[in-house]
Amino acid sequence: MGERKLESSAHPFTIYQEFFDNFNSLHTRRSYEIDIRHFFSWAHEQFNISSYGDLERDHIIKYRNFLQEAGGRDGSPCAPKTVARKLAALSSYSDFLVERSILEFNPVTSIKRPRRDVKTPTNALSGTQVRELLEAIPGDTPAGILHRALLMMFFTTGLRKSEILNLKFKDYREINEYRVLEFIGKGGKIGQKVLHPDAVELLDLYLVEMQRQGRELGQEDWLFQPSHNPTNPQNLNKPLNPRTINEIIDYYAKKIGLNFKVTPHSCRATFIGELLENGVDIYSVAREVNHSSVKTTQEYDKRRKRLSDSPIFKLKY
């Protein structure tokens, strides 16, 4: 039946592995399991609920209120985005339980979600700062060669961290005269990304370095692999740790003296902002970064509004 119980004594609920296996992204599977585990542990502790049939809409409302008031690790309120994510995970799992005839209806469906307002915008870099950051990476060490290829990929594709980490060598290919990456985007959608010549150059240098080390990649091997593994030195054929990506970007940002937080999402924000600044229309940018709504893309538009750009000058009466 594809089911198992969570390794926890906090609640007696059976959790169905089949639900998690349906997601392509390892990150999504882990996040959903953590969120679902958290709810059922909380519900069992608060209401002594021991079966799915005992779940009521009121339990979900009280859980949402708990998250908004004191659901953080330190007892602080959870951010609206976190609350919305947890409810989305629970709703998706409830839909699965309805399909399996374990629940009669989804108790999360009509629960009001918090507005997912962005409290602090993602910090984007200027073109000059991107060049300085890339130039700060050594090009004559295995780690430096990997880091240059990796960060150039982030800044010239606008791909999300999970999309880059999940790339296999087979996803890097040539179509006509273009080098492209095939990737798995949000919702499991397959996308293609044409690579910038600078990204191709650094990626090819990285692959040559891998060959020099006797680590030539096979089709099913991970494209970006760690240069060392302290816990298991012989196991290098694995994807980079998501936390490692943050540490790499943060290290070089501090090295060039940036006094604001730089994350993998900063690279995506920089990519979007630079395209808009250079005159690419916002609808083309939205398609390029797989935004379902152009309103999402508009959040990254940091262009100064000049009087000379007013559309009234296009009038030709």
Side-chain angles (χ1 to χ4, degrees):
M1 297 294 290
E3 66 183 56
R4 65 176 175 83
K5 281 198 175 185
L6 289 174
E7 297 176 1
S8 171
S9 58
H11 63 75
F13 288 90
T14 297
I15 299 298
Y16 293 85
Q17 184 64 37
E18 177 188 348
F19 170 77
F20 304 103
D21 290 343
N22 195 37
F23 293 98
N24 291 310
S25 168
L26 177 62
H27 175 72
T28 300
R29 292 199 295 269
R30 288 175 175 172
S31 297
Y32 268 47
E33 182 163 341
I34 289 171
D35 289 340
I36 290 167
R37 179 201 299 266
H38 182 262
F39 168 74
F40 287 115
S41 296
W42 177 88
H44 180 64
E45 179 182 341
Q46 295 294 318
F47 304 106
N48 198 29
I49 294 175
S50 58
S51 70
Y52 289 116
D54 295 332
L55 282 177
E56 298 178 1
R57 182 174 179 272
D58 186 56
H59 296 141
I60 312 297
I61 294 174
K62 285 183 169 60
Y63 178 64
R64 180 203 61 195
N65 295 343
F66 160 72
L67 294 174
Q68 292 178 321
E69 294 168 4
R73 291 183 180 180
D74 57 354
S76 61
C78 288
K81 185 175 182 180
T82 300
V83 177
R85 189 201 72 225
K86 288 180 178 292
L87 291 178
L90 189 57
S91 181
S92 182
Y93 187 64
S94 296
D95 282 336
F96 167 79
L97 294 176
V98 171
E99 291 176 6
R100 294 286 300 269
S101 299
I102 297 169
L103 280 179
E104 292 185 5
F105 65 94
N106 183 345
V108 192
T109 300
S110 59
I111 303 300
K112 186 175 180 180
R113 315 288 175 88
R115 292 184 59 186
R116 298 176 63 172
D117 295 331
V118 179
K119 291 185 177 180
T120 55
T122 302
N123 291 315
L125 283 68
S126 67
T128 299
Q129 289 169 332
V130 172
R131 286 191 292 273
E132 290 178 355
L133 189 147
L134 292 170
E135 289 170 358
I137 305 173
D140 56 355
T141 65
I145 292 171
L146 164 64
H147 296 170
R148 292 179 72 202
L150 184 65
L151 295 195
M152 180 65 81
M153 191 67 65
F154 271 103
F155 282 116
T156 59
T157 65
L159 289 174
R160 300 176 177 89
K161 178 167 66 172
S162 61
E163 293 167 346
I164 287 182
L165 290 182
N166 289 324
L167 290 170
K168 298 287 188 70
F169 179 64
K170 65 180 180 181
D171 299 323
Y172 178 44
R173 62 189 69 176
E174 184 171 343
I175 299 179
N176 298 325
E177 71 272 25
Y178 301 105
R179 299 286 188 90
V180 302
L181 283 176
E182 189 170 272
F183 65 94
I184 301 175
K186 260 189 173 181
K189 295 179 181 178
I190 304 298
Q192 279 190 341
K193 180 74 67 171
V194 177
L195 293 182
H196 190 281
D198 290 344
V200 172
E201 179 182 355
L202 293 183
L203 182 55
D204 285 347
L205 286 174
Y206 160 70
L207 294 175
V208 169
E209 173 61 22
M210 293 289 280
Q211 286 181 322
R212 189 192 68 77
Q213 298 177 34
R215 299 171 59 192
E216 185 169 357
L217 302 184
Q219 290 295 301
E220 294 296 331
D221 290 339
W222 301 101
L223 180 58
F224 290 110
Q225 301 179 16
S227 56
H228 66 283
N229 183 356
T231 58
N232 187 357
Q234 303 304 315
N235 182 23
L236 296 177
N237 188 3
K238 65 174 190 173
L240 291 167
N241 188 309
R243 185 178 301 173
T244 300
I245 303 296
N246 291 64
E247 292 171 350
I248 290 171
I249 295 175
D250 183 62
Y251 172 79
Y252 291 112
K254 290 180 178 177
K255 187 175 181 179
I256 65 171
L258 297 183
N259 59 359
F260 54 85
K261 187 174 180 59
V262 181
T263 66
H265 199 67
S266 298
C267 303
R268 182 172 169 85
T270 301
F271 176 80
I272 295 171
E274 283 294 299
L275 290 181
L276 293 172
E277 186 68 32
N278 283 283
V280 180
D281 73 87
I282 198 166
Y283 294 98
S284 297
V285 176
R287 288 194 300 269
E288 182 69 21
V289 295
N290 297 309
H291 280 159
S292 57
S293 170
V294 73
K295 291 182 179 179
T296 305
T297 314
Q298 287 174 334
E299 295 176 4
Y300 297 87
D301 190 356
K302 303 299 189 296
R303 292 173 292 180
R304 294 180 179 178
K305 306 304 179 183
R306 295 183 292 266
L307 295 178
S308 60
D309 292 335
S310 173
I312 64 102
F313 295 115
K314 303 294 183 181
L315 295 174
K316 302 293 182 183
Y317 291 138

